[in-house]
Amino acid sequence: SGGVADAKNLRVKLVLLGDSGVGKSCIVLRFVRGQFDPTSKVTIGASFLSQTIALQDSTTVKFEIWDTAGQERYAALAPLYYRGAAVAVIVYDITSPETFNKAQYWVKELQKHGSPDIVMALVGNKADLEEKREVPTHDGIDYAEKNGMFFIETSAKTADNINQLFEEIAKRLP
Ligand code: GTP
Ligand code: MG
């Protein structure tokens, strides 16, 4: 199987969650436009972008991406964006343990209130800042494994693992 005859066109609602400043908007900008903005502004409410990728079996996956605002004042809006989402990408900053704690909060919230079959990815971003790392890679791996999530470390700045993140998600779609 996997030939052209099996090709499908999937549409997938994806939500990004995580503390303010972890790099959610930069990950999306890198994935959708191939750019990095060192002066990225905080997101107000949420923003929407879409991007289509082709898999090896010529299936296409159109990601409809809700990039939420991480500032605490917007936390109450999150259910509007994660409700009905097939995929949640929960992002922390590898230089900031507080953001790793916040990521765990979002995982629990989605386990309680997200779709039961949601695909969850845990992303440690800013992997280019290795000299400032405060969250060991194995902490991310362990937490993701215990919670049945896919785990990856990325850098929106260098583009490291950004396309891989979305390709791996696409492979895990039900
Ligand atoms: P909110 O919209 O407030 O929730 O924040 P956010 O998660 O969208 O953060 P944003 O993408 O705006 O990035 C915040 C800051 O981190 C910006 O100054 C970015 O330039 C920087 N940044 C984002 N990703 C990376 C990365 O991979 N490496 C480095 N070194 N800096 C990054
Ligand atoms: Mg943002």
Side-chain angles (χ1 to χ4, degrees), residues 19-26 36-38 40-43 68-70 125-126 128-129 155-157:
D19 222 343
S20 183
V22 298
K24 298 179 298 299
S25 297
C26 288
F36 177 70
D37 178 7
S40 179
K41 306 270 184 312
V42 300
T43 302
T68 67
N125 189 44
K126 307 198 186 182
D128 56 287
L129 300 178
S155 170
K157 185 176 181 181

Side-chain angles (χ1 to χ4, degrees), residues 12-67:
V12 175
K13 179 179 171 183
L14 180 151
V15 63
L16 281 124
L17 294 162
D19 222 343
S20 183
V22 298
K24 298 179 298 299
S25 297
C26 288
I27 288 170
V28 175
L29 188 70
R30 174 59 80 185
F31 175 53
V32 174
R33 303 230 177 88
Q35 297 167 354
F36 177 70
D37 178 7
T39 65
S40 179
K41 306 270 184 312
V42 300
T43 302
I44 307 297
S47 75
F48 178 83
L49 284 107
S50 73
Q51 173 73 322
T52 302
I53 63 169
L55 303 183
Q56 291 207 316
D57 65 355
S58 67
T59 293
T60 67
V61 180
K62 181 181 186 186
F63 288 107
E64 299 179 334
I65 303 170
W66 286 99
D67 170 24

Side-chain angles (χ1 to χ4, degrees), residues 69-95:
Q71 288 185 331
E72 195 54 40
R73 71 184 79 157
Y74 300 111
L77 296 178
L80 297 176
Y81 303 106
Y82 68 65
R83 198 168 292 146
V87 179
V89 174
I90 297 170
V91 184
Y92 65 92
D93 169 350
I94 66 150
T95 73

